[in-house]
Amino acid sequence: MRNKLTNNQPKKLGFKLFRIGILLLATAPSLSFLLLLFSTFGGLLSRENKFLEDKYSRLLILSSFLMIFNCFLITTDLIKTPESDKSLIWLGLLNWIPLFWCFWGFQNYLNTKNDRLVASKLLVIGSIPVLISGFCQKFLGLYGPYRFFNNLIIWYQRPLGADGGVSGLFNNQNYAGAWLCIIFPLCLGFLLQKHKKIFLNYINFSVVSSFVTMIILTTSRSAILAMLISYLNLEKFTRNKVLAIFISILSLILLGNILLLINIDIQKYITDYLPTGILNKIIYFKFSNLDTLPRFDIWSKSLTFINQNLFFGYGAGSFPNMYVLFDGNFEGMQHTHNIFLELAFNHGLLVALLILFTMVSILITASKNYFFNNSQDLSLIDKAWIISFANFIIIHMFDITYFDGRISILCWTLLAGLRKMKKNIPKI
């Protein structure tokens, strides 16, 4: 009995470190990283499944060895690549290998529906400062950067750019949009739950409304798309709801026509409150011009580079030089704008396929069992958790925000939760 109690103490400490780390992830990432990393060692000896017993852990270990081997080949010039900083090639491993360990370690604290419920609440609460900083940036003109504890914590609060996109405490508006739209399904899940206390419903509605507003203000199209997909997947559309949406759309069209008839400049009011960037992206978007967009040139050249070096890749940080060297049409391109093309370009096709298989396999299994059965015992927050990870995938088909440590940690936290859902699937 004494040994059992002794073994549980590190796990309890690990739970506390994990939950504090999750709460601080958006606002104090450096401190959060340390707490989350230490939490992975809590209860290590008392775990039922060991690291090497998990098939996905074995795939990630293989990916790690291949990444390290690839870095060795490049730095010893056994593979010829354009001149680049060799230290960046090794530093790039920190974006992946430590998080493979975290994926396994975090599962210990996301084992049950209640564990995931608590983690979801902490993620939402921890995102409130992101909303506040964004609103202050947009409407009060409060710009940073704000530094705390000898630069341990930095809230960037950059001045608004030409497109008016809001970044809040993040370094980039796309990072802010990615974070918010990944967390958004969890907020929506809490709103759609039935609460006996009315004030909780008002709080949840206010939080969801703030998330929607801030996601739009970031001007990130992929974040807005992911937000809409979240709503369509979580909301249950009855005949009355579909009718209400239809009537609302007709009413907006009718209101617009009435305002035009009485000579009210609608566009002026819209541009006063919405960033010009998102309006321009919507107004000037045409399917006939898709081949002129930067991403198509980037993807085309990325596929060419990958085809020329299928198995080993070119190393992290080498894409900008390669793109310029082969006459890229656009300036300042830092990555491939697709997470799996980035993996294949940096570390080889095999590594990209191993990580892609791990992520998609876990996502599909969890989705299949939580969306395609009629059980009433399934948690709405678990469904929201699945959609949050799906949003991560959607965003990273068109952009890469993964290299912000907060978003990469969030990615593997969500995947760890999905893995525990897969292991604890209810039998219908």
Side-chain angles (χ1 to χ4, degrees):
M1 178 66 73
R2 181 176 297 176
N3 289 335
K4 187 175 181 180
L5 290 173
T6 303
N7 287 336
N8 281 336
Q9 287 176 352
K11 185 176 180 179
K12 289 180 179 178
L13 176 61
F15 252 112
K16 292 179 181 179
L17 294 176
F18 175 77
R19 289 178 172 174
I20 296 172
I22 288 294
L23 179 64
L24 297 177
L25 183 56
T27 53
S30 299
L31 179 59
S32 173
F33 297 160
L34 290 175
L35 294 173
L36 291 170
L37 185 61
F38 287 139
S39 76
T40 61
F41 298 99
L44 195 63
L45 298 177
S46 62
R47 287 193 59 155
E48 294 179 2
N49 62 312
K50 304 305 178 185
F51 186 63
L52 293 175
E53 292 176 0
D54 185 281
K55 66 177 181 180
Y56 293 113
S57 295
R58 293 197 293 270
L59 291 178
L60 295 176
I61 289 173
L62 176 59
S63 299
S64 301
F65 280 119
L66 290 172
M67 286 177 165
I68 293 170
F69 182 61
N70 174 56
C71 289
F72 172 77
L73 293 177
I74 294 171
T75 51
T76 55
D77 291 326
L78 293 174
I79 294 178
K80 299 298 181 182
T81 61
E83 288 297 323
S84 58
D85 187 347
K86 294 294 192 291
S87 64
L88 291 178
I89 294 171
W90 290 98
L91 286 172
L93 298 180
L94 296 177
N95 289 312
W96 298 99
I97 294 177
L99 296 174
F100 296 162
W101 167 261
C102 289
F103 163 69
W104 180 76
F106 291 168
Q107 291 178 41
N108 210 25
Y109 311 116
L110 299 167
N111 194 41
T112 66
K113 290 180 182 179
N114 187 64
D115 291 339
R116 295 186 290 273
L117 175 66
V118 173
S120 298
K121 289 179 179 178
L122 294 173
L123 285 170
V124 173
I125 294 169
S127 299
I128 300 301
V130 180
L131 300 175
I132 295 172
S133 67
F135 286 128
C136 289
Q137 181 187 19
K138 174 66 177 177
F139 299 110
L140 299 180
L142 295 181
Y143 304 131
Y146 298 105
R147 303 173 187 273
F148 308 95
F149 305 113
N150 197 25
N151 292 331
L152 183 66
I153 299 171
I154 302 176
W155 290 10
Y156 287 94
Q157 296 284 120
R158 296 187 182 281
L160 298 179
D163 63 355
V166 171
S167 60
L169 54 82
F170 284 84
N171 186 37
N172 179 286
Q173 64 204 60
N174 290 331
Y175 294 163
W179 175 273
L180 292 169
C181 83
I182 293 171
I183 302 297
F184 176 73
L186 302 176
C187 300
L188 192 57
F190 287 119
L191 176 64
L192 295 176
Q193 283 183 327
K194 295 180 180 179
H195 295 285
K196 294 181 180 179
K197 297 180 179 179
I198 297 177
F199 78 94
L200 286 178
N201 294 321
Y202 282 120
I203 290 174
N204 288 329
F205 179 78
S206 299
V207 171
V208 169
S209 300
S210 298
F211 265 79
V212 171
T213 304
M214 193 55 59
I215 289 171
I216 294 172
L217 290 176
T218 64
T219 76
S220 171
R221 286 172 295 185
S222 57
I224 294 171
L225 174 64
M227 177 182 68
L228 293 174
I229 291 173
S230 303
Y231 177 74
L232 294 174
N233 277 284
L234 268 177
E235 180 62 282
K236 294 181 179 179
F237 288 96
T238 63
R239 183 181 301 176
N240 290 336
K241 286 183 180 179
V242 172
L243 182 61
I245 292 172
F246 181 69
I247 292 173
S248 298
I249 293 172
L250 288 179
S251 300
L252 288 173
I253 295 172
L254 179 61
L255 177 62
N257 289 325
I258 292 172
L259 293 175
L260 287 173
L261 286 173
I262 57 179
N263 294 323
I264 292 180
D265 190 349
I266 305 172
Q267 186 174 358
K268 179 183 181 301
Y269 285 97
I270 292 175
T271 54
D272 284 344
Y273 293 99
L274 284 179
T276 56
I278 192 62
L279 293 174
N280 291 335
K281 289 175 183 178
I282 294 171
I283 293 170
Y284 297 110
F285 177 81
K286 294 181 181 178
F287 284 102
S288 59
N289 296 335
L290 284 178
D291 58 346
T292 65
L293 296 175
R295 279 172 177 76
F296 280 81
D297 182 62
I298 295 167
W299 291 338
S300 174
K301 285 185 168 53
S302 297
L303 289 170
T304 301
F305 299 150
I306 292 166
N307 187 53
Q308 293 172 354
N309 187 11
L310 274 176
F311 299 107
F312 299 107
Y314 300 92
S318 58
F319 180 79
N321 291 339
M322 287 281 288
Y323 184 73
V324 172
L325 188 64
F326 286 85
D327 301 320
N329 295 327
F330 301 93
E331 296 182 359
M333 296 298 121
Q334 299 298 313
H335 51 69
T336 62
H337 284 76
N338 179 288
I339 191 69
F340 299 112
L341 287 180
E342 187 78 4
L343 277 165
F345 177 87
N346 288 342
H347 305 290
L349 184 61
L350 183 55
V351 169
L353 290 175
L354 287 171
I355 295 176
L356 173 64
F357 174 79
T358 298
M359 290 183 172
V360 173
S361 176
I362 294 173
L363 176 62
I364 288 176
T365 304
S367 302
K368 182 172 62 177
N369 290 281
Y370 276 79
F371 283 97
F372 300 103
N373 60 53
N374 297 317
S375 172
Q376 299 299 313
D377 298 326
L378 301 180
S379 165
L380 186 60
I381 297 303
D382 273 351
K383 290 184 179 181
W385 190 285
I386 293 168
I387 296 170
S388 287
F389 187 76
N391 280 358
F392 168 85
I393 297 293
I394 291 168
I395 289 169
H396 285 81
M397 293 297 98
F398 308 100
D399 195 8
I400 300 177
T401 58
Y402 178 89
F403 298 127
D404 183 298
R406 288 167 282 206
I407 294 173
S408 55
I409 285 277
L410 180 60
C411 159
W412 291 98
T413 301
L414 293 170
L415 194 64
L418 292 184
R419 178 58 175 150
K420 296 308 292 186
M421 291 182 205
K422 181 173 179 177
K423 289 181 177 180
N424 298 322
I425 291 168
K427 295 182 179 180
I428 307 301

